[in-house]
Amino acid sequence: MKKQSRLVIISAGFLLAQSFQIPRCIQNVQTRSYSAISDQSTIFDADREAAERSSKEAQKARRQRSLKTHGASERDDPEWKFFDTARLHVSGGDGGSGCVAFRREKGEPRGGPSGGRGGRGGTVLLECDEGINTLAPLRNKVHVRARKGRNGLGKNKNGIQGKSIRVKVPPGTLVKDLKTQKIAGELREHGEQLIVARGGRGGRGNAAFKTPTRTAPKIAEHGEPGAKRWLSIELRLLADVGFLGKPNAGKSTLLSAASAAR
């Protein structure tokens, strides 16, 4: 009886193990799914590499076209060879748009329009600073953009004005328009400021369009764009001492011996 019971228990355990085994068809499906996932990952990586390669080639082509059109003139232009001249592109901030809103409060079923104005865009200014004696900082950042104004809000709330930007320049800086070569101004004393790009005006909200005949206007204005222009900046240097003499008289030798100039 003991042997028979052992055989019965062993056979029952073998059948239970066989019942919990994963069929071969399911194993094949799982292996195929894993292989498909791996194939998809390799295909995705290949597409990514092709996209990166194409973007690099496009950037290289654009760079070559820009060098052909503008590179030679910029390299030969003396304004890019010395630190007493510089070019600067200034952009004023755009004005914010007006808001279309109506007053909705308890006890005021027809409160009327309450859309506020948009904020004015920021302005770009040049400020004279005695602590600077060269235009080298302007060569590192050619494009200067001011912040744009925020849009208007309901309850007659005007938008926030854009933050203005002040660019420090040394005394004796002459500012010209690059296209027309007209003099915009000159900064001589410490603290002087010159507006070179004014910000755009903010748009009016629907509260500004209310009239006795139009009590519920649903119109508002967009903000005006800020001024944009290229500037030619030149530094006028004033020398305290000058050397006058004939050629090969020793002017350069005297300068190198009396100062650190080389």
Side-chain angles (χ1 to χ4, degrees):
M1 292 295 294
K2 291 182 180 180
K3 292 182 179 180
Q4 291 180 359
S5 61
R6 287 179 182 177
L7 290 174
V8 170
I9 292 169
I10 291 171
S11 61
F14 179 75
L15 293 174
L16 185 63
Q18 287 290 334
S19 64
F20 280 102
Q21 284 184 357
I22 300 173
R24 292 183 179 180
C25 60
I26 298 176
Q27 292 179 358
N28 295 334
V29 170
Q30 290 179 351
T31 54
R32 288 176 185 175
S33 63
Y34 293 153
S35 62
I37 292 171
S38 61
D39 293 341
Q40 289 178 1
S41 61
T42 54
I43 292 171
F44 177 76
D45 293 339
D47 294 341
R48 183 178 179 182
E49 291 177 0
E52 291 178 354
R53 195 182 304 110
S54 62
S55 64
K56 289 181 181 179
E57 291 177 356
Q59 290 179 0
K60 187 177 180 180
R62 287 196 299 269
R63 194 179 299 111
Q64 290 178 355
R65 287 196 300 268
S66 64
L67 287 175
K68 288 180 181 179
T69 55
H70 304 289
S73 61
E74 289 182 356
R75 285 195 299 269
D76 298 337
D77 196 342
E79 291 189 1
W80 294 100
K81 293 182 179 180
F82 303 100
F83 288 111
D84 57 350
T85 58
R87 288 182 183 178
L88 192 67
H89 185 265
V90 291
S91 303
D94 298 337
S97 301
C99 177
V100 177
F102 294 91
R103 185 180 176 187
R104 293 290 185 269
E105 293 182 5
K106 185 177 180 181
E108 295 289 340
R110 296 181 181 180
S114 62
R117 290 173 172 267
R120 176 179 286 276
T123 303
V124 181
L125 304 96
L126 298 182
E127 185 176 357
C128 184
D129 189 2
E130 293 179 350
I132 303 174
N133 57 2
T134 180
L135 296 177
L138 301 182
R139 310 294 292 274
N140 299 328
K141 188 176 181 181
V142 180
H143 298 272
V144 179
R145 300 181 180 89
R147 296 288 184 88
K148 64 179 182 179
R150 297 290 185 88
N151 298 332
L153 301 174
K155 296 184 179 180
N156 293 320
K157 294 181 180 179
N158 297 334
I160 302 175
Q161 294 186 1
K163 185 178 180 181
S164 300
I165 296 179
R166 290 175 172 83
V167 181
K168 304 287 186 178
V169 294
T173 300
L174 184 65
V175 183
K176 297 180 182 179
D177 190 272
L178 185 61
K179 292 184 179 180
T180 61
Q181 290 299 317
K182 291 183 178 180
I183 297 177
E186 185 177 2
L187 301 173
R188 299 178 181 179
E189 299 180 359
H190 179 74
E192 286 186 349
Q193 294 182 353
L194 177 65
I195 297 176
V196 293
R198 194 179 297 274
R201 183 181 64 86
R204 294 178 293 176
N206 64 338
F209 296 96
K210 181 181 178 181
T211 61
T213 57
R214 181 185 289 180
T215 58
K218 297 181 180 180
I219 57 175
E221 288 181 340
H222 291 288
E224 295 180 355
K228 299 179 182 180
R229 61 174 57 92
W230 277 96
L231 299 176
S232 175
I233 301 176
E234 180 182 352
L235 179 61
R236 292 184 175 181
L237 300 176
L238 299 177
D240 297 329
V241 179
F243 290 106
L244 295 176
K246 295 182 179 180
N248 298 326
K251 299 186 295 296
S252 300
T253 304
L254 178 60
L255 181 62
S256 61
S259 64
R262 293 291 182 269

